Structure formats: C-alpha cells, structure tokens
Amino acid sequence: MFAPFVRLRRIGRRAFVAGALAALGLSTAFVPGAQAQKIDVAAIYTVPVEQQWVSRIHIALQAAEERGDITYDWSENVANTDYERVMREYAEQGKTLIVGEAFAVERAARSVAADYPDVAFLMGSSFGPAQPNFSVFDNWIHEPSYLTGMVAGKLTESNLIGMVGGYPIPEVNRLMHAFMDGAREVNPDVKFLVSFIGSWYDPPAAKEAAFAMVDSGADLLYAERFGVSDAAAERGIKAIGNVIDTQADYPGTVVASALWHMEPTIDRAIAAVQNGAFEPADYGPYSFMSYGGGSLAPMDPALIGQETLDMVNARQQEILSGLFRVNVNDSEPKSTQ
C-alpha cells in the first residue's frame, strides 16, 4: 500500500477539470486510431494536481479517459524520496504507461524504467530519452512567453519588472529569458528583478518575494509561481501569467498569459502505446505553438491597448509561419537593475 501522505485515487475533481477544459476551448492536436485498445495509465506528481504545471498533464490525461482511450490512476504530493517506490508499485500493478516528473529523481526514475522494459514511461525531464522505454517531455512554451514579454515591455512605466520563479532549472530559465527578450524588443530600457523561492508550490513565499520587488520599484510582475498575482492584485499593478490562464481569477490584474497544453504530447504517447509503436523519444517539441502545445490566452485591448495587441499578433504569426524563432536560453536569469 502507499504511504498515508500519498493520495492514490481514481479520477476525481471532475468539476475542477471540466472548468479548465472548457476554458482551454481546444480539440486535441492528434486523434488516436479508431477502435484502439484502452490502456492502463498512471501518473505520479510531487505536488497537488492544482499546481499549474502538473494540472496541464492531469487535464490531458483526464480528457483521454473521457474519450475512452485509457483508464487513469494518479498519485499527488509524492515526496522525492518516495518516488521510486510509487513508480515500482504502479509498474507491478501492470500499468501500460506511466507519466510523471523526473526532474529531481532522474537516476531513480531511469533505473525503474530499465527494470520494467515492457512498460512505457513518459517523464518530464531536463535530459534525453533512453532505451528501451524512457521518453521525455517538457513545457516548451518559450514562444508565447516571448509574446507576453512584449506586452509587459509596453505596459511598464517604471521600466522595472519583477519576476518570481520556483527553481532556476532550464525549464523555468528558458521561459524567463524568452519573456525578458520579448520585453526588450519593444522597450530597450526595461530592467528586471529576478528571484527564486526554492519551491514549486509555496504561494505565501512567492507573494512575499513579489511584495519586495514592488517595494523596490517594480510596477509589473511575471507570475511564474502561484502567489505572485495575489501580490499584484493587492498592490494594484499588472501581472503576466504562466502555464495556465488565471485572468478570470484576477480581472484587470493578469493581462496576458503564456499557456501550456499537454494534449498534443499525451495523445501521441497514448497512440504510440496503443499501436505497439512506443519508442524512447523527446516529446518536447509538441509543446511548441505550431503543434498546439503552447498558446496565448485571449487578451483585452482595453487593458493592453490595440496597438500592442496588433504588434503581438503580428509577431505570433511570424512564429507560427517559421519566420521568427524565439531564442532558447537555459542559463539562470539574473536581475539587471
């Protein structure tokens, strides 16, 4: 049995996910073959499923279950020290595909996969795939992040933007750098305050870090973590969202968001397993805008200005047509004030 603090359960919280799916307004970018065999899938998360990054995976897997492609079990709040055991228990239960996040448990996760060559593994990772069955993915939403940076560069009046992140790992760093590059394109004078709270889910810590930046002169915040937008709302300034669309939760505060959609990635992995064609691969590119894995949340010209909206839309079309490539920089971003 799982340890008491690890919640293993069948799909629940349907109201939560139904609302998120409706907000996405997306059809899947890949439709598995008709009459494909239903497969047993499990997912392992180190944080609550409400956390923005994990919620994208959870929603995509729930959508697959609703279609009848999979059965879906999941565990949340799994400690890093317990991750390997949970992986092994799911594999022993006969799961066909196991999805998770290997960032802090790379060696352990890959060791488990090697011990179960007949199970397909699809794990968030900073590293590459491995034979015979370990595929990787990531939230490559640097493109819409660049576009939100353009919005921020136009909106700031103090030319100082605060940025609060979880950990300075490549997956976070590249989004922050893309945002900063977008802001600099439209405002060469803009500067940044950058801080990391050392947690993937600590809204109070993120909020306090954001307050400190506002006190230092920042008049716009990049909310890579939950809690930052709360600080922006309380101080009466604008914020830029990340991964999920929280504009309805912070009306007039969150004015643009770079969104991640896991459906293109999840659906391709499921179809590969169903067709007996799953091989170790990097699924990261399916998070690009051209595959429907990344997008911009709808923006209100009354909040950002029609001129800015037109500029952002023009750049977005260049990205989608391949005429503009957003730079990828995985190094840790630093304050530039």
Side-chain angles (χ1 to χ4, degrees):
M1 294 297 292
F2 288 96
F5 59 85
V6 177
R7 289 185 278 174
L8 170 64
R9 47 182 158 173
R10 291 288 300 149
I11 291 302
R13 299 182 186 171
R14 294 196 183 275
F16 161 72
V17 175
L21 284 171
L24 284 175
L26 293 174
S27 59
T28 57
F30 183 88
V31 179
Q35 306 301 317
Q37 181 180 0
K38 182 182 291 187
I39 63 173
D40 292 328
V41 178
I44 311 168
Y45 308 121
T46 60
V47 293
V49 292
E50 289 85 358
Q51 190 259 14
Q52 62 260 54
W53 194 88
V54 158
S55 72
R56 302 302 89 190
I57 308 168
H58 189 58
I59 287 170
L61 287 168
Q62 285 197 298
E65 186 181 51
E66 293 288 349
R67 291 196 306 267
D69 292 338
I70 67 172
T71 61
Y72 174 39
D73 293 319
W74 51 280
S75 297
E76 62 181 351
N77 291 323
V78 178
N80 290 336
T81 54
D82 215 31
Y83 206 93
E84 179 178 355
R85 179 181 63 79
V86 178
M87 287 183 68
R88 290 186 182 279
E89 291 195 4
Y90 274 135
E92 289 292 333
Q93 290 173 18
K95 301 302 180 184
T96 311
L97 171 65
I98 296 176
V99 181
E101 39 182 316
F103 298 108
V105 289
E106 288 283 353
R107 293 184 184 280
R110 290 165 187 269
S111 175
V112 172
D115 290 343
Y116 296 92
D118 294 330
V119 179
F121 291 83
L122 178 65
M123 308 294 287
S125 174
S126 300
F127 301 97
Q131 293 288 345
N133 58 342
F134 194 90
S135 288
V136 297
F137 68 87
D138 198 359
N139 64 326
W140 286 83
I141 57 169
H142 56 299
E143 296 164 328
S145 295
Y146 184 97
L147 299 174
T148 62
M150 294 176 66
V151 173
K154 280 294 189 180
L155 287 181
T156 180
E157 296 179 357
S158 68
N159 286 335
L160 185 62
I161 297 174
M163 306 181 68
V164 180
Y167 292 94
I169 65 171
E171 290 69 26
V172 174
N173 298 345
R174 71 174 67 110
L175 304 188
M176 285 188 160
H177 276 297
F179 173 87
M180 296 163 81
D181 287 346
R184 292 190 188 102
E185 177 188 339
V186 300
N187 184 353
D189 296 325
V190 71
K191 303 294 182 183
F192 303 92
L193 294 173
V194 180
S195 177
F196 296 93
I197 61 172
S199 172
W200 292 129
Y201 193 74
D202 190 345
K207 186 176 180 180
E208 288 304 313
F211 278 148
M213 292 176 174
V214 177
D215 291 341
S216 296
D219 68 346
L220 190 144
L221 297 172
Y222 173 78
E224 198 271 329
R225 293 292 100 193
F226 279 157
V228 177
S229 295
D230 295 285
E234 289 188 25
R235 293 296 178 89
I237 64 174
K238 306 300 184 187
I240 302 295
N242 180 57
V243 175
I244 64 175
D245 185 359
T246 58
Q247 291 170 201
D249 298 320
Y250 302 94
T253 297
V254 177
V255 296
S257 299
L259 307 183
W260 184 33
H261 310 297
M262 260 299 273
E263 288 81 358
T265 298
I266 289 295
D267 292 349
R268 280 173 170 80
I270 290 171
V273 174
Q274 289 174 323
N275 296 327
F278 186 88
E279 294 182 351
D282 185 352
Y283 282 72
Y286 298 122
S287 289
F288 283 25
M289 294 183 77
S290 61
Y291 285 101
S295 73
L296 272 177
M299 294 181 291
D300 185 351
L303 295 175
I304 67 170
Q306 188 62 50
E307 180 182 352
T308 298
L309 183 59
D310 291 343
M311 182 184 305
V312 170
N313 285 338
R315 180 63 78 210
Q316 177 176 249
Q317 290 306 310
E318 291 181 340
I319 291 172
L320 291 172
S321 65
L323 292 174
F324 185 84
R325 180 174 293 179
V326 177
N327 184 49
V328 174
N329 184 348
D330 288 344
S331 65
E332 181 177 344
K334 303 292 186 180
S335 298
T336 59
Q337 186 185 31

